Amino acid sequence: ARIEGEERLATESERVRGEVREEAAKEVEARMREEFEGELATIKEAEAAVVEAHRMEMEGLRETLTRVVLAESEARHVEQLEQRINALNEEHGAQMEQFKSDLTAMANSSQSEQVDQLVSSHQAELERVRSEMENQRASALEEQMQQLSSSH
């Protein structure tokens, strides 16, 4: 009877240990899920802040470039504008690479896919803004050329 009692006690002990392990695993999974969701929210907030800062920067750059186009002579203006656009494109390209690198480093593989999609979307928006800036520059140059032609 004593051996049976010890066997039952050992069996019960194993069952309880299994339940404790299972409960601990569930708690760890829940904490990991919370951390993942927190990190994802942080990434989304950072992305929104970067997009807004970029929009503000691009708006400021657009206004500055418009004033420069109207203030300078045609030849000098074209050269300076091209230099500025190239510098901005290079700087922005470097910023985008850093942004992508930072986000990728913070994310696991499923988050990396989301970040790649985000970066791709952001780059498409930047291309649209660049195109818009180029169109504005061309329009302003044409207008200035017309003004210069009509004044001569």
Side-chain angles (χ1 to χ4, degrees), residues 11 13 18 42 45 58 80-81 85 94 108-109 113 123-124 130 133 147:
T11 302
S13 176
T42 300
E45 289 172 5
M58 294 306 289
Q80 290 177 350
L81 185 59
I85 288 173
N108 64 22
S109 63
E113 292 174 12
Q123 287 174 337
R130 283 187 189 126
M133 287 175 57
Q147 288 175 355

Side-chain angles (χ1 to χ4, degrees), residues 36-150:
F36 173 78
E37 290 171 357
E39 288 178 16
L40 184 58
T42 300
I43 289 170
K44 287 181 180 182
E45 289 172 5
E47 183 263 340
V50 167
V51 168
E52 179 60 20
H54 178 72
R55 186 192 67 75
M56 297 288 289
E57 179 183 356
M58 294 306 289
E59 183 63 32
L61 290 172
R62 185 179 299 125
E63 291 172 6
T64 299
L65 289 175
T66 300
R67 284 192 305 271
V68 168
V69 166
L70 297 175
E72 295 180 358
S73 69
E74 178 184 354
R76 182 174 163 208
H77 170 72
V78 169
E79 183 179 336
Q80 290 177 350
L81 185 59
E82 288 175 353
Q83 289 173 354
R84 287 180 183 175
I85 288 173
N86 288 339
L88 289 172
N89 286 341
E90 289 174 11
E91 179 182 335
H92 183 66
Q95 289 173 347
M96 285 303 299
E97 286 302 315
Q98 182 63 42
F99 175 70
K100 183 178 178 181
S101 175
D102 290 347
L103 288 180
T104 301
M106 291 188 325
N108 64 22
S109 63
S110 66
Q111 288 172 323
S112 293
E113 292 174 12
Q114 293 173 355
V115 168
D116 288 342
Q117 291 173 356
L118 172 68
V119 169
S120 178
S121 171
H122 189 64
Q123 287 174 337
E125 176 63 13
L126 291 174
E127 284 301 317
R128 184 191 66 75
V129 170
R130 283 187 189 126
S131 176
E132 185 179 311
M133 287 175 57
E134 284 294 320
N135 290 339
Q136 287 180 353
R137 179 184 67 82
S139 176
L141 284 174
E142 187 173 320
E143 181 180 318
Q144 188 176 23
M145 287 173 35
Q146 289 175 355
Q147 288 175 355
L148 288 173
S149 295
S150 66

